[in-house]
Amino acid sequence: NIAGVLRNFAEQEYLDCGYEGSRNGCNGGWPNDCYTYSQKYGGRLANTADYSYTARDSTCRGSSKPDAMIAAKIKGVVKVGSTEAANIEALASGALSVAFEVTNKFQSYSKGIFKDTTCSG
């Protein structure tokens, strides 16, 4: 929200382009791989209206879509500590992404707080 406008960026571009040529993006991944993709292409990421979500991996079309990263550019990745305070501090200067382990029990999740004691992480 740097320019006073909340933007909606295309997660489909990351799904299609983040692992282009190496594997299917629907088989999981890491947020830093997506940011590395954006950084490699000048900090770019399309708007959802231009590159809509299809819920399946496809051929990368990022270069044919307008770059919606107008007020800021993705320049890299910074590892943040695992405490709540570290996350709050990181949010003061940029975006924050998280990853979590998904087990078979998660497939039946529908609402509320989810706790799975079989997680290894």
Side-chain angles (χ1 to χ4, degrees):
N1 194 0
I2 291 175
V5 176
L6 184 60
R7 301 190 187 279
N8 189 349
F9 295 105
E11 59 270 11
Q12 188 67 41
E13 182 173 355
Y14 281 156
L15 182 62
D16 292 346
C17 305
Y19 297 105
E20 184 76 4
S22 63
R23 67 182 181 86
N24 184 331
C26 290
N27 290 334
W30 298 103
N32 57 305
D33 294 331
C34 297
Y35 300 142
T36 299
Y37 158 79
S38 283
Q39 181 182 15
K40 181 179 176 181
Y41 293 98
R44 71 151 286 113
L45 189 57
N47 189 304
T48 300
D50 295 321
Y51 202 144
S52 60
Y53 186 66
T54 63
R56 64 183 183 276
D57 193 3
S58 188
T59 303
C60 179
R61 296 173 287 134
S63 63
S64 68
K65 304 296 179 183
D67 182 8
M69 295 293 286
I70 297 166
K73 296 288 183 187
I74 296 171
K75 297 178 182 176
V77 178
V78 176
K79 186 172 174 117
V80 176
S82 60
T83 66
E84 182 179 4
N87 286 295
I88 291 169
E89 182 180 341
L91 282 170
S93 63
L96 184 69
S97 65
V98 297
F100 57 95
E101 182 177 358
V102 176
T103 65
N104 289 340
K105 291 183 179 184
F106 190 76
Q107 302 302 320
S108 61
Y109 171 77
S110 62
K111 63 181 178 178
I113 297 172
F114 179 77
K115 183 174 182 179
D116 183 354
T117 57
T118 65
C119 289
S120 61

